[in-house]
Amino acid sequence: MTQKKYLLAETDVPEQWYNIVADMPNKPLPPLHPATREPIGPEMLAPLFPLELIKQEVTTEKWVPIPDEVREIYKIWRPTPLFRATGLEKWLDTPARIYYKYEGVSPAGSHKPNTAVPQVFYNKQEGVTKITTETGAGQWGSALSFACQLFGIDCEVYMVRASYDGKPYRKMMMNTWGASVYPSPSTRTAAGKSILADHPDSPGSLGIAISEAVEMALHDEQTKYALGSVLNHVLMHQTVIGLECVKQLEQAGDFPDIVVAPFGGGSNFAGIGFPFLRYNLEEGRQIRCIAAEPASCPKLTRGVFRYDLGDTVGMTPLLPMYTLGHNFIPAPIHAGGLRYHGAGAIVSQLLRDGLIEAQAYNQLQCFDAGVQFARTEGIIPAPEANHAIAAVIREARQAKEEGKAKTILFNLCGHGHFDMAAYEQYLSGQLVEHEVTQAEILASLAELDTPLIA
Ligand SMILES: *Cc1c(COP(=O)(O)O)cnc(C)c1O
């Protein structure tokens, strides 16, 4: 019988984060001021983020030490287990060896606390008393609420209206950790009021919720803002995932040919992928890193590479990214964490340079994959993670056709225990397909006036 589970000791919790920028042949382009379109300095970010995180955002140091206080909290759930997917392999009858890293064992049930904890830690160190943020499906909001509670900081969450109404228990989770949660668009901010004036029934979007959270942070000096994906420092914090995997696969006497993760803004993909991509950049290995995105929000496979805003109203800097346009409102698929119009600057540059790959999957195919995974492996995945599983199944079938014993590693970035309504729709045959049309993408991109990146 093949070994199923690979565990590490607490002492194996990484002591440093890996910063891939140090190894990138082309560094990510700088953020620009939305009005002047000149590169912005740290002073423009200072009202929003603590200094230490701004430093991490621009550092080119390859290894950044993880503070002891953060490592101690990581130990509540880290190191996370690595599993060999023996049940899935058998069902697929594939020669491929499939492994998955399970991040659903964190208190919030996803990988998001890996960055929430250090972000709150640095805010606390610099005397911040309140942090605002946005949340889509509720995973980031719950991770930040948990971390804020540990450090005694107030947490204010703007939750996309559609999720606020549809996922009441995620809201309760945030309330349990002491956070205040408001449906977005709200009447608490100018941004929210202006959207509601035009669209009183707006279901909201991540872009709108970010505008609201940023506005609230700008109003008050003791209040800062936190983002759960996209930014360089967020991606770096998540590399604890892949760094642990390297050791665990060493235990297994294996090494991946393919690394797969679902893709929203890029943080869990970076987390598992970058510590392996490092071997490509340093030693010329050829590990394929595949980002799996939804067909209804396909910024990597069908978007353009250009400067765009991170939010809807225009309160963030312009960031270089693969984007569908900041006004793009994705269809209400169940993988709420993947409904973001853009991608992080680092991941976008890597895709542009052909160093990573992207694939798009539709919702039904993803739930087919997720249910098959639950039936063969036991764990019920978050709808976001189902995108990675769909990609893994495709690659494992390919390996079978080619008769190759490839090693595939993927990130099971969260459990789906708060997504039973989505599984209910799937199981009762009511889940609908969403594929965005070319006309919709072109219409959204036509609203951008920022320069294309050559
Ligand atoms: C937030 C989230 C995502 C998407 O965000 P990334 O930054 O791309 O990782 C994917 N899966 C889960 C479970 C999430 O909570």
Side-chain angles (χ1 to χ4, degrees), residues 332-353:
I333 55 160
H334 290 292
L338 308 185
R339 294 179 65 227
Y340 184 65
H341 66 271
I346 293 179
V347 214
S348 294
Q349 188 65 50
L350 291 169
L351 183 66
R352 176 67 156 199
D353 291 341

Side-chain angles (χ1 to χ4, degrees), residues 353-434:
D353 291 341
L355 297 169
I356 60 171
E357 298 172 38
Q359 299 173 357
Y361 291 90
N362 64 47
Q363 178 160 254
L364 262 182
Q365 190 179 6
C366 293
F367 272 87
D368 280 340
V371 166
Q372 208 46 248
F373 183 84
R375 290 178 181 174
T376 52
E377 292 295 320
I379 297 171
I380 300 177
E384 290 84 1
N386 289 346
H387 291 70
I389 300 170
V392 166
I393 289 178
R394 178 173 134 173
E395 294 298 330
R397 291 203 163 119
Q398 180 78 23
K400 184 179 178 182
E401 263 172 42
E402 294 170 6
K404 287 194 182 140
K406 289 192 183 148
T407 298
I408 305 174
L409 167 69
F410 77 93
N411 201 15
L412 185 53
C413 51
H415 66 63
H417 297 178
F418 288 85
D419 301 284
M420 284 301 114
Y423 278 89
E424 179 185 22
Q425 276 195 7
Y426 170 79
L427 293 169
S428 61
Q430 285 165 38
L431 201 70
V432 283
E433 266 325 0
H434 281 292

Side-chain angles (χ1 to χ4, degrees), residues 79-152:
T80 59
L82 178 84
F83 292 95
R84 172 95 182 254
T86 47
L88 183 66
E89 286 173 19
K90 196 166 161 211
W91 176 73
L92 286 167
D93 186 27
T94 173
R97 291 186 299 280
I98 303 173
Y99 298 86
Y100 56 96
K101 181 73 161 164
Y102 186 42
E103 291 292 310
V105 294
S106 82
S110 77
H111 64 287
K112 296 256 172 36
N114 296 333
T115 184
V117 170
Q119 287 195 48
V120 176
F121 168 79
Y122 293 119
N123 273 286
K124 178 76 181 181
Q125 270 202 323
E126 295 181 28
V128 173
T129 56
K130 189 202 265 189
I131 300 179
T132 63
T133 198
E134 71 292 331
T135 197
Q139 284 140 328
W140 168 241
S142 21
L144 192 71
S145 306
F146 154 71
C148 280
Q149 184 55 234
L150 292 184
F151 288 99

